[in-house]
Amino acid sequence: MMDCLQAQTILSEAIDGAVDSDALSEARAHCEGCPECATFIRGSTCCPAQRYQEHRPPRR
Amino acid sequence: MLHVNLRLSGGVLEEQAVISGALSVQELVIAAQAGDERAFETLVRTHADAVYGHALRFFGDAASAEDATQEVFVKMFRSLASFDGRSAFSTWLFRVTRNVCLDMARAGARRPIPTDPVDLVPPSVRDFADDVVLSRTVETAIRSLPPEERDALGAVTLFGMSYEQASTAFDVPVGTVKSRVFRARRTLAHLLEPAEGGA
């Protein structure tokens, strides 16, 4: 059975690249009923700046 | 738009070798090394946000980040010929960017503004509907991360480096990069948890 640390680690890796699909499915299943992991998912995916790539370009 | 006040010393080639937009980064680098000014400018445009983003997170103020960005591309112009392609261009540019920021801080010309997570005001649900406010909050939260976590997150998310490339850039095992990026995200998730409940 996957725990929070394992699930969040896999989700983090999934944001950055491909991970094993079975492991990702298991991580998602874990997160469906886990408030702690739901917080992690929200913080990682819920906003336009989720991937922290939106930057104002320099003015000059 | 970033304007880099540089001119290639050899002038514009008789034949511009490329239509820059259609080329890969690797091809752009090769063309820029051969003196293609448009290729160099495309490289600058392509990477300006990542460089500026790293500098902004390092210094915490826009003016210093702009100065650092300018300096990075001056260095890129001067030393691109020494880039041998053994590492990814993003890895090389990340190193240049990090070194420029560190050098500027060491020289005392610009000092990073400290950010304490205690000072971070958790975003409200309303903030999540405002990209500008939220982006500012996210950036403040990122600045409060330990530098090694902030750098790892930036290498992967700003510069698009793989864990393996980041591992090379930081000279640490891949697992360490994964761990730093994950810890950064976990900390951010808690810092950015809306104060008024779920988003």
Side-chain angles (χ1 to χ4, degrees):
Chain A
M1 188 67 179
M2 193 172 276
D3 62 22
C4 292
L5 183 61
Q6 291 171 314
Q8 291 175 20
T9 301
I10 288 168
L11 290 166
S12 177
E13 290 180 31
I15 292 171
D16 302 320
V19 298
D20 178 77
S21 59
D22 289 342
L24 184 56
S25 297
E26 197 179 339
R28 283 179 170 150
H30 166 93
C31 294
E32 281 178 7
C34 176
E36 170 73 16
C37 290
T39 297
F40 178 80
I41 292 172
R42 261 200 310 276
S44 301
T45 63
C46 66
C47 61
Q50 59 181 310
R51 289 180 63 79
Y52 319 117
Q53 289 176 334
E54 297 213 341
H55 291 281
R56 204 161 29 117
R59 290 191 300 272
R60 63 185 186 203
Chain B
M1 168 79 68
L2 173 72
H3 298 289
V4 177
N5 301 315
L6 297 173
R7 300 295 301 173
L8 293 177
S9 57
V12 180
L13 295 178
E14 272 189 23
E15 291 185 7
Q16 291 286 349
V18 293
I19 300 171
S20 298
L23 298 179
S24 69
V25 169
Q26 189 180 6
E27 290 167 325
L28 285 168
V29 169
I30 292 169
Q33 286 175 324
D36 186 323
E37 191 169 355
R38 284 191 300 171
F40 182 84
E41 288 172 353
T42 302
L43 282 173
V44 171
R45 278 200 307 275
T46 305
H47 295 89
D49 280 2
V51 171
Y52 179 77
H54 179 92
L56 184 62
R57 290 173 186 180
F58 183 90
F59 287 107
D61 77 281
S64 297
E66 289 174 21
D67 285 350
T69 302
Q70 188 80 3
E71 182 61 21
V72 166
F73 289 120
V74 168
K75 281 206 185 305
M76 179 174 121
F77 173 72
R78 288 179 180 157
S79 57
L80 191 61
S82 68
F83 173 66
D84 58 12
R86 279 186 293 183
S87 64
F89 177 72
S90 58
T91 304
W92 181 81
L93 184 61
F94 176 78
R95 280 181 173 145
V96 172
T97 303
R98 199 165 56 142
N99 288 338
V100 163
C101 291
L102 289 170
D103 288 347
M104 286 174 65
R106 285 188 194 120
R110 299 284 188 179
R111 294 184 188 282
I113 299 170
T115 301
D116 191 326
V118 174
D119 298 332
L120 183 71
V121 178
S124 67
V125 171
R126 191 187 307 164
D127 291 338
F128 275 74
D130 186 329
D131 288 352
V132 174
V133 173
L134 186 58
S135 183
R136 196 179 301 137
T137 305
V138 168
E139 288 303 322
T140 303
I142 291 173
R143 290 206 67 241
S144 73
L145 293 171
E148 66 275 11
E149 293 179 16
R150 187 182 64 206
D151 283 356
L153 186 69
V156 170
T157 60
L158 286 175
F159 284 77
M161 292 161 64
S162 66
Y163 290 155
E164 288 74 16
Q165 289 168 338
S167 160
T168 302
F170 295 117
D171 198 21
V172 298
V174 172
T176 301
V177 174
K178 287 183 185 179
S179 174
R180 287 176 181 176
V181 171
F182 164 66
R183 286 203 306 268
R185 286 204 171 105
R186 189 173 55 178
T187 302
L188 290 173
H190 286 287
L191 289 174
L192 298 172
E193 181 72 349
E196 299 166 24

